Amino acid sequence: MEYLLIFISAIFVNNIVLTQFLGICPFLGVSKKISTSLGMGAAVIFVITLATIVTWLIQHYLLNPFNLGFLQTIAFILVIAALVQMVEIILKKISPSLYAALGVFLPLITTNCCVLGVAILVIQKDFGLLEGTMYALANGVGFTLALVVFAGLREQLTLSDVPKGMKGVPIALVTAGILALAFMGFAGLV
């Protein structure tokens, strides 16, 4: 039951993008097409989950025992950068079209603050490895859900008659704000 609460809470109630405002750059940058959003979401789910597992192990078996907690941020960033490079190489071989569609945003996963934020939050919340992994996976799914819903709304907006001064980024920001308000409706759920 505890894992289900962690999962639902991370996806809906405390969505990493819409309530904690982490990962806004890829949220706004990759959300023009649903297909690209799904690819980016899958990459983020993979990186955020794997990075959390590796960083949890580093924190508990290297940094804490040797009293090196002050190196946490640097160690976590290096782990995330290495994992993103691995994902980039794999995507280039497996799906060149998705690799090309993601373009500059794939290397930006390295600097995506939601990946680093979740890894640090798992340590701060004192989760065990299984709880932390579940939390990371749920945050990745929540990021993907927000990204895909937002991409669908943006695709619909291209077909709508939007006033000239609101086209592009302004209407995207207004839509993101309304989507965040919609997710606030889940606040009493867990």
Side-chain angles (χ1 to χ4, degrees):
M1 186 66 168
E2 182 182 343
Y3 296 115
L4 182 63
L5 289 175
I6 289 172
F7 203 76
I8 290 172
S9 174
I11 293 173
F12 297 109
V13 179
N14 297 316
N15 187 287
I16 197 81
V17 177
L18 299 174
T19 60
Q20 297 183 33
F21 306 113
L22 296 174
I24 296 293
C25 178
F27 177 70
L28 293 172
V30 186
S31 61
K32 292 180 181 166
K33 289 184 177 179
I34 292 176
S35 58
T36 309
S37 297
L38 283 169
M40 180 64 152
V44 167
I45 289 172
F46 178 75
V47 169
I48 205 168
T49 305
L50 198 56
T52 300
I53 292 169
V54 174
T55 55
W56 189 93
L57 292 170
I58 288 172
Q59 182 72 35
H60 285 84
Y61 294 109
L62 185 65
L63 299 179
N64 286 350
F66 295 107
N67 222 9
L68 298 171
F70 61 93
L71 292 175
Q72 180 188 55
T73 304
I74 294 170
F76 286 13
I77 288 172
L78 290 173
V79 166
I80 292 166
L83 289 173
V84 169
Q85 286 298 313
M86 184 179 72
V87 169
E88 195 170 354
I89 291 168
I90 291 169
L91 271 182
K92 196 172 187 178
K93 286 193 179 244
I94 292 176
S95 180
S97 60
L98 179 59
Y99 175 79
L102 290 174
V104 71
F105 293 103
L106 188 57
L108 284 179
I109 294 176
T110 304
T111 59
N112 187 345
C113 56
C114 78
V115 178
L116 180 61
V118 168
I120 291 173
L121 283 171
V122 165
I123 301 302
Q124 287 178 347
K125 292 179 183 232
D126 202 28
F127 283 143
L129 182 59
L130 192 55
E131 292 168 328
T133 304
M134 181 62 71
Y135 182 75
L137 178 65
N139 273 295
V141 170
F143 178 84
T144 304
L145 175 69
L147 194 63
V148 170
V149 168
F150 189 56
L153 291 170
R154 285 185 77 178
E155 281 185 3
Q156 185 64 35
L157 282 171
T158 60
L159 304 173
S160 301
D161 187 25
V162 177
K164 185 178 179 184
M166 289 296 289
K167 287 189 180 195
V169 175
I171 195 69
L173 291 173
V174 169
T175 305
I178 293 170
L179 186 59
L181 286 172
F183 270 71
M184 283 179 64
F186 294 114
L189 188 65
V190 176

